[in-house]
Amino acid sequence: MSTKQSADKLILALDGMNKSEVFSLIRDIPELCWVKVGLELFISEGPDIVIALRDYGLKVFLDLKLHDIPVTMAGACRNAAQSGAELITVHACAGIDSLVQANESAKEGSAQANLPAPTLLAVTILTSWNSMKLKSELSLDQPIEKRVELLADLAFKAGIGGCICSPLEVKSLRQLFSLPFQLVTPGIRPKGSSSDDQLRIMTPKEAIQCGASRIVVGRPITQSISPVSSFQAICKELGGS
Ligand code: C5P
């Protein structure tokens, strides 16, 4: 895999920074293709941050993890699509009606703005959960893998373009849901880095080998002594020179 192909598989999560810190970081990483704008950055900087990052030449994954009644999901996805975000997250547990309407409205929104249709990604179970927590906090007795499969299936049936899952679930989900359904995984930790609050983790290379379409990495890059070296090391691990 060339460095460009590796960088295209790596989405940098821009958490814990304001706009000027974000731009100072991204200027240091010329190979960067994808950034993830999460709730923290979106709420502090507003939707203009998405437009600013696109204008800078980056592809934006807008990770708002939308979860609401169908009409509200539809309106939010229509507006999100008009900002030019190429990936947008919704919660699979919002249910089929919400997912279908969100997907249709995202397509309408992008068409109205003369932009390509974004891909919606359904969040299955956050990577900060494990089976024990599902049982003790939510009384969900089902093994986490089964729960993830059920939620991914909802998303698939609703026509959503892919889902977010832990790298530990990628292999089994790929057997159930073939391409072009995308499997995007956070919970990535290069060898030797802290797991932070992530409970279901894998290294970048392992996740891609298991079939992840793209990986999301935040703190192992943004909080490292040299974010640019950490980014490049992951690209190298994925096969770039
Ligand atoms: O810093 P770290 O690499 O743990 O960042 C992971 C990013 O992926 C965070 O922005 C987090 O919100 C997001 N995410 C996650 N688990 C999910 C979905 C999204 O960690 N299931």
Side-chain angles (χ1 to χ4, degrees):
M1 219 190 291
S2 69
T3 303
K4 205 170 167 214
Q5 285 167 327
S6 302
D8 190 52
K9 302 251 169 225
L10 176 52
I11 303 174
L12 178 63
L14 302 173
D15 301 318
M17 283 172 279
N18 61 29
K19 188 176 178 183
S20 73
E21 290 163 337
V22 161
F23 274 87
S24 120
L25 174 71
I26 63 180
R27 277 190 207 103
D28 278 346
I29 311 179
E31 303 90 349
L32 190 63
C33 296
W34 281 97
V35 286
K36 182 171 87 67
V37 174
L39 285 166
E40 202 183 334
L41 185 61
F42 188 81
I43 288 172
S44 64
E45 302 292 345
D48 285 354
I49 188 74
V50 176
I51 294 163
L53 289 163
R54 279 194 57 227
D55 288 349
Y56 186 80
L58 293 168
K59 297 183 194 181
V60 178
F61 170 4
L62 185 56
D63 184 22
L64 301 183
K65 300 187 178 69
L66 300 166
H67 181 185
D68 215 310
I69 57 170
V71 67
T72 310
M73 293 269 282
C77 284
R78 180 177 292 107
N79 293 348
Q82 288 176 339
S83 72
E86 295 187 40
L87 296 173
I88 299 168
T89 46
V90 291
H91 267 285
C93 58
I96 294 256
D97 291 346
S98 280
L99 296 175
V100 167
Q101 291 191 34
N103 212 17
E104 281 168 5
S105 298
K107 284 185 195 145
E108 283 165 18
S110 56
Q112 281 157 6
N114 274 325
L115 290 164
T119 299
L120 262 49
L121 296 173
V123 175
T124 52
I125 301 277
L126 298 175
T127 38
S128 53
W129 286 81
N130 59 19
S131 295
M132 219 165 60
K133 277 162 71 73
L134 280 188
K135 189 169 182 191
S136 65
E137 296 179 30
L138 298 180
S139 298
L140 285 174
D141 228 344
Q142 203 175 23
I144 204 161
E145 313 76 53
K146 286 286 151 213
R147 190 89 200 155
V148 167
E149 270 177 39
L150 181 139
L151 290 165
D153 193 48
L154 268 191
F156 188 76
K157 284 182 180 142
I160 297 287
C163 73
I164 309 282
C165 59
S166 116
L168 305 186
E169 289 127 20
V170 165
K171 222 178 204 164
S172 54
L173 290 182
R174 187 41 88 213
Q175 280 166 4
L176 295 171
F177 309 105
S178 50
L179 287 164
F181 193 72
Q182 293 192 32
L183 300 174
V184 176
T185 70
I188 300 296
R189 289 295 178 268
K191 277 201 183 83
S193 59
S194 154
S195 60
D196 303 301
D197 52 355
Q198 298 284 12
L199 295 179
R200 293 167 17 253
I201 59 175
M202 225 183 233
T203 67
K205 191 173 188 168
E206 286 166 344
I208 294 292
Q209 281 175 342
C210 286
S213 314
R214 291 198 167 82
I215 57 173
V216 176
V217 185
R219 288 161 291 181
I221 296 174
T222 57
Q223 292 184 11
S224 80
I225 300 165
S226 170
V228 61
S229 315
S230 303
F231 181 91
Q232 286 166 348
I234 296 177
C235 286
K236 201 167 172 195
E237 180 181 329
L238 296 183
S241 48

